[in-house]
Amino acid sequence: MAKNHREDVRLSGVSPTPLVDLRVVEVSDRIAGAYCGKLFVDAGADVVKVEPVSGDPLRRFTATGATPAEGADAPLFSYLNAGKRSVTSASDELLACADVVLVTQREFDPQRLLDVSPRSVVVTVSDFGWAGPWSDRPATEFTLQAWSGLTGFRGDPAGPPISIGGELGEYMGGACAAYGALALRRRVRRGGPGGHLDMSMLEAITLMQSSEWLHSQLLNVPPVRRSVEVPSIEEASDGYVGISMVTGQQWLDFAAMVDCHELTEIPDLRFQIGRWGYRDWIRERIGPWMRERTVSEIVELGQLFRLPIAPLGNGSTIPQMDHLRERGVYTENPAGFRQPRAPWLMSAAAPAPIRPAPARGEADGESLWQARESAAPAATADLPLAGVRIVDLTAFWAGPAATHSLAAFGADVIKIEAIQRPDGIRYSGGMRTDVDDWWEYGWVFHAMNTNKRSVTLDLQSEDGVGLFKQLVSQADVVIENFSPRVMDQFGLGSDALLAIKPDLVVVRMPAFGLTGPWRDRVGFAPTMEQIAGLAWVTGLPEGPPVPPRGACDPLAGAHAAFASLAALEFADRTGRGQLVEVPMIETVLNVTATQTIEFDVFGEILSRRGNRGHPTATQDLYRCAGDENWIAISMHTDAHLNALSELTRGSELGDWLAAQDLDDVVDALASAGIPAAAVVSPSLVTENPQLQHRGFLERLEHRRTGEGLYPTPPFAPLDGGHRWLHRPPPTLGEHNAEVLTELCGLTDADLQRLTAEGVIGTRPKGL
């Protein structure tokens, strides 16, 4: 079916898909693998799913606990596997004919396949990675969130820590596996070898916390403790409204909106980190104003003040939102429900149409692929994306996360800022007051901008625009995440950029997309999490929704990295560049799709379950001996329950755990095959022995802040030893002379003139 579809596309003149010739084998029993395969299907790849004779367990899994109709697959399975083909065994012939083999079972031997097919890209997805002291330790999404620090910094200290609802980490892992596979595949297409990409789910999930260990180091503060944003999700007269303020200016504008001048009189309140200690005082002042107004009234006022304020969505309300309807985000799955379309739009290529999910083993006995003719791969020391140049206009977290990934795989990423407006994440979370160059100490900036070169250009000046165009003429990709109007105001919209270089990939990451009623609304990751339902399922059943705290920023970045590489492959094949639109809201809707899908099929709205997880699981957080020592335990089988009963010897679980040392009992449970984890502060993940063994955090020396530990992509080092990081995050404008002389031919006199005129510089203007 998939093969015929692609042939029909070629003959009909319909826009081809970006990955029309890619062959993928997916051997997966978890959401991460299935979602990775779905991303490939959306982009046009032919994906063959290998499942046991009894069928993929996801055929029977529902998030609400509802039972699928007799003979029907669970809707989540139909969503994740639409358009794939199914076989019940993975023959050596099938594996050898594939370009990418994706595996989530540890019984598979990647090296055996690479010995036979050295140009294959083998991606393994496992909880802790293929090797290391914890490689065989049992885990679930719930326990991995605890190990990563995600759980440990969320929730009111008066209650327990709070894990993020849903299976967010699984989707993050799937998106990372997809972009990693495409990156390594580029090396193969250029004559180099394939290889094994060993992906760790723990590392992928750890990337969704904001590198708080760097926060502790750079701002000289203690390990972060759990809290909730203030304000965040507040009660209006008719429901909840989500509020996300990242910058100090937004706080001042919020104070004006709620007519509460005293909010501006305390300097600490301009930063989120300073508001927690004033939470009751703040809520006493804004609460009456909020409760006198409806959600829609507050959202409308927020837009007038250019504030990221949004309604909270759930499975029943999300598809009805006017912006999503006008943009045509939701489309029909043949299984009888609505689902979000692919999380990207391309101007010259199209996503594959949504086709039915396969019946178990329906392609058994078919000759699926012929072997490709290819020469032996050439030995190379090059990184997979060596030779790719990216002009990076992104700011804050999501966009820099995308280019962070691509730079680690070898792309030359030139980060463009301006002394008039540096990247706001350099200082939006808090700042040092004891150093002169306080803008160089932003921890999220540090984490997401390694391996990049920094150039400052005033794009409101003729010289700045001219130099930018020269850089574009030598680039393969331009990527930005401004609000839609900004690039057009500079005269640098996608048409203008493609006129400079017709094979350019122009990636735009607006919050809500380039069209639609919400086009010009302000939005950050927490805004998307609120609209798309992620906040709705996070929190205690008896309490309000709790913000996931921006975890969807790096998730959006992983999707943008995948879309960029897919479009780059299309450009290599056809010579055609294009605009690639990756709206953050649509990436988040893809990972919360089970909420709308299961409401369509079962009429049930997923809601908050605290730390209890799926209805059939025995799962929660419990206190151990000592102060604030919490353990995450997640049991899904009778074997788990029987093993626990043997350990507790009939005692009540909570009473038994309260007398246990945290580290000792975690090890005892793991030895008994029970998924368990210590709930750690995100500042302390540097002490994790598995992360240390795999080298997830690499040491770099920053010329202003000294030595630090920096996160890598969630893969073991390539080819057995390569470091992912070779350059610390840049200081503002650090590479002006290097880049502008090398690529734009400027002289020292030119640089001096441009500095004097404020077109370039190394210090924010006015400081």
Side-chain angles (χ1 to χ4, degrees):
M1 183 183 299
K3 203 179 298 182
N4 291 338
H5 162 69
R6 286 196 299 280
E7 291 168 356
D8 290 345
V9 165
R10 289 195 186 99
L11 295 173
S12 68
V14 173
S15 294
T17 56
L19 301 181
V20 68
D21 292 319
L22 189 70
R23 302 170 176 178
V24 179
V25 170
E26 173 200 312
V27 190
S28 171
D29 56 359
R30 65 191 301 167
I31 290 173
Y35 187 66
C36 179
K38 176 194 182 304
L39 291 173
F40 280 120
V41 168
D42 288 343
D46 187 8
V47 177
V48 176
K49 179 180 185 63
V50 181
E51 54 184 323
V53 174
S54 59
D56 184 338
L58 288 175
R59 289 185 182 271
R60 299 175 292 279
F61 172 83
T62 62
T64 58
T67 303
E70 182 69 28
D73 289 320
L76 180 61
F77 178 88
S78 297
Y79 167 67
L80 293 172
N81 294 283
K84 299 177 185 176
R85 298 192 278 178
S86 171
V87 297
T88 55
S89 66
S91 67
D92 289 346
E93 178 185 9
L94 174 68
L95 295 172
C97 289
D99 301 313
V100 175
V101 177
L102 172 71
V103 180
T104 66
Q105 284 98 341
R106 292 190 54 78
E107 297 80 12
F108 186 86
D109 181 2
Q111 192 54 51
R112 177 175 172 270
L113 174 58
L114 290 169
D115 288 343
V116 175
S117 182
R119 302 195 70 183
S120 295
V121 173
V122 182
V123 184
T124 57
V125 176
S126 58
D127 291 324
F128 296 105
W130 225 242
W134 289 9
S135 60
D136 293 318
R137 180 172 286 215
T140 66
E141 164 95 11
F142 182 61
T143 61
L144 291 171
Q145 283 196 30
W147 282 126
S148 75
L150 265 187
T151 304
F153 78 147
R154 184 182 305 99
D156 192 313
I162 301 292
S163 64
I164 299 176
E167 304 289 337
L168 185 65
E170 289 286 321
Y171 292 93
M172 178 67 173
C176 290
Y179 84 67
L182 274 191
L184 190 49
R185 174 67 186 160
R186 182 177 176 84
R187 185 172 74 181
V188 174
R189 289 191 294 107
R190 293 177 173 267
H196 174 202
L197 268 180
D198 170 7
M199 201 201 83
S200 157
M201 288 294 299
L202 173 60
E203 293 168 24
I205 293 174
T206 302
L207 285 170
M208 292 195 292
Q209 62 115 316
S210 48
S211 302
E212 291 295 328
W213 64 91
L214 281 169
H215 177 198
S216 297
Q217 173 204 321
L218 294 168
L219 268 65
N220 288 335
V221 295
V224 66
R225 303 189 67 174
R226 71 178 181 277
S227 63
V228 177
E229 282 76 5
V230 181
S232 58
I233 296 172
E234 309 296 334
E235 282 192 74
S237 65
D238 60 345
Y240 291 111
V241 64
I243 304 171
S244 307
M245 284 171 290
V246 176
T247 69
Q249 184 59 53
Q250 287 169 347
W251 177 252
L252 299 178
D253 293 339
F254 175 75
M257 185 185 83
V258 300
D259 194 22
C260 191
H261 180 72
E262 58 263 44
L263 297 179
T264 69
E265 295 174 350
I266 303 173
D268 285 350
L269 300 187
R270 296 196 182 191
F271 300 104
Q272 181 60 244
I273 200 169
R275 295 176 204 146
W276 179 247
Y278 294 87
R279 59 192 179 279
D280 294 335
W281 184 85
I282 292 171
R283 286 183 170 134
E284 285 172 5
R285 279 151 182 78
I286 70 172
W289 187 95
M290 304 289 292
R291 290 189 290 271
E292 289 172 0
R293 292 163 175 81
T294 66
V295 170
S296 60
E297 288 171 341
I298 296 170
V299 170
E300 185 176 353
L301 273 171
Q303 299 318 306
L304 292 175
F305 280 85
R306 299 288 297 159
L307 292 172
I309 296 179
L312 260 65
N314 63 39
S316 70
T317 63
I318 293 167
Q320 312 308 323
M321 294 178 178
D322 60 341
H323 178 78
L324 306 181
R325 290 202 315 271
E326 186 166 318
R327 279 181 58 84
V329 170
Y330 280 86
T331 186
E332 292 295 319
N333 185 290
F337 54 78
R338 293 167 297 175
Q339 70 172 67
R341 67 186 175 200
W344 46 264
L345 294 170
M346 296 185 184
S347 60
I354 299 173
R355 289 161 282 149
R360 183 186 67 250
E362 69 176 23
D364 282 346
E366 294 183 19
S367 179
L368 299 175
W369 296 316
Q370 298 296 316
R372 295 193 191 275
E373 293 183 9
S374 63
T380 178
D382 288 345
L383 289 169
L385 299 184
V388 174
R389 178 167 293 140
I390 300 173
V391 174
D392 176 8
L393 288 153
T394 65
F396 289 95
W397 191 358
T403 50
H404 170 260
S405 306
L406 301 175
F409 275 90
D412 176 19
V413 177
I414 300 173
K415 182 175 180 68
I416 306 296
E417 300 177 77
I419 61 171
Q420 293 79 6
R421 189 166 183 165
D423 184 343
I425 207 66
R426 283 184 177 273
Y427 43 77
S428 61
M431 64 177 71
R432 292 277 291 268
T433 58
D434 59 335
V435 293
D436 177 59
D437 56 349
W438 45 265
W439 60 88
E440 300 295 359
Y441 289 74
W443 67 95
V444 179
F445 181 91
H446 270 245
M448 291 294 104
N449 287 282
T450 49
N451 290 346
K452 302 177 187 178
R453 298 194 283 176
S454 171
V455 171
T456 51
L457 291 175
D458 177 10
L459 295 182
Q460 293 183 312
S461 71
E462 184 177 345
D463 281 329
V465 169
L467 291 168
F468 180 78
K469 289 181 176 180
Q470 287 189 61
L471 294 176
V472 168
S473 71
Q474 301 168 74
D476 301 286
V477 180
V478 172
I479 182 167
E480 57 90 6
N481 65 340
F482 296 128
S483 59
R485 67 186 189 283
V486 172
M487 291 297 284
D488 290 333
Q489 289 174 347
F490 291 146
L492 297 171
S494 57
D495 289 344
L497 297 179
L498 287 165
I500 297 170
K501 193 169 188 287
D503 62 348
L504 184 70
V505 173
V506 180
V507 182
R508 305 190 66 179
M509 299 175 63
F512 296 106
L514 299 174
T515 61
W518 299 356
R519 173 184 184 270
D520 292 319
R521 286 191 181 183
V522 178
F524 295 97
T527 319
M528 311 305 141
E529 294 159 0
Q530 292 155 6
I531 293 170
L534 199 61
W536 185 263
V537 297
T538 300
L540 300 173
E542 65 275 12
V546 174
R549 309 196 93 165
C552 285
D553 264 319
L555 182 88
H559 283 83
F562 173 79
S564 300
L565 291 171
L568 198 57
E569 182 161 327
F570 179 87
D572 288 345
R573 187 174 73 247
T574 66
R576 296 175 64 190
Q578 61 185 314
L579 167 64
V580 181
E581 182 185 351
V582 192
M584 187 187 293
I585 185 62
E586 295 182 31
T587 66
V588 184
L589 290 170
N590 268 261
V591 307
T592 62
T594 189
Q595 295 190 41
T596 56
I597 288 169
E598 296 210 8
F599 178 79
D600 268 6
V601 176
F602 304 122
E604 295 193 25
I605 299 175
L606 276 167
S607 58
R608 295 176 291 287
R609 290 180 52 83
N611 296 305
R612 306 302 293 271
H614 182 257
T616 63
T618 301
Q619 171 179 296
D620 212 339
L621 297 183
Y622 305 88
R623 287 185 182 273
C624 290
D627 181 41
E628 282 297 300
N629 286 333
W630 293 85
I631 185 172
I633 302 177
S634 181
M635 296 173 288
H636 293 256
T637 67
D638 289 341
H640 291 155
L641 294 171
N642 292 337
L644 182 68
S645 179
E646 289 187 19
L647 286 172
T648 62
R649 299 183 183 276
S651 299
E652 286 291 330
L653 180 57
D655 294 340
W656 180 75
L657 287 168
Q660 304 296 317
D661 175 80
L662 175 60
D663 293 336
D664 290 345
V665 77
V666 167
D667 289 342
L669 289 166
S671 296
I674 299 170
V679 178
V680 300
S681 164
S683 306
L684 302 178
V685 296
T686 54
E687 300 172 8
N688 185 291
Q690 181 69 10
L691 297 182
Q692 290 176 345
H693 175 88
R694 283 175 53 91
F696 171 63
L697 302 170
E698 294 185 0
R699 292 188 181 276
L700 293 171
E701 182 79 21
H702 187 273
R703 67 178 189 166
R704 297 299 305 151
T705 65
E707 186 180 81
L709 289 170
Y710 291 86
T712 69
F715 307 100
L718 264 182
D719 304 327
H722 164 71
R723 278 176 58 98
W724 290 109
L725 308 181
H726 59 271
R727 191 194 297 268
T731 58
L732 184 65
E734 178 180 350
H735 303 98
N736 284 342
E738 177 183 313
V739 171
L740 297 178
T741 55
E742 171 192 333
L743 299 181
C744 301
L746 297 191
T747 65
D748 288 344
D750 294 326
L751 295 170
Q752 291 172 11
R753 176 183 65 82
L754 293 170
T755 300
E757 295 174 357
V759 177
I760 64 174
T762 57
R763 188 178 183 88
K765 188 173 183 179
L767 297 176

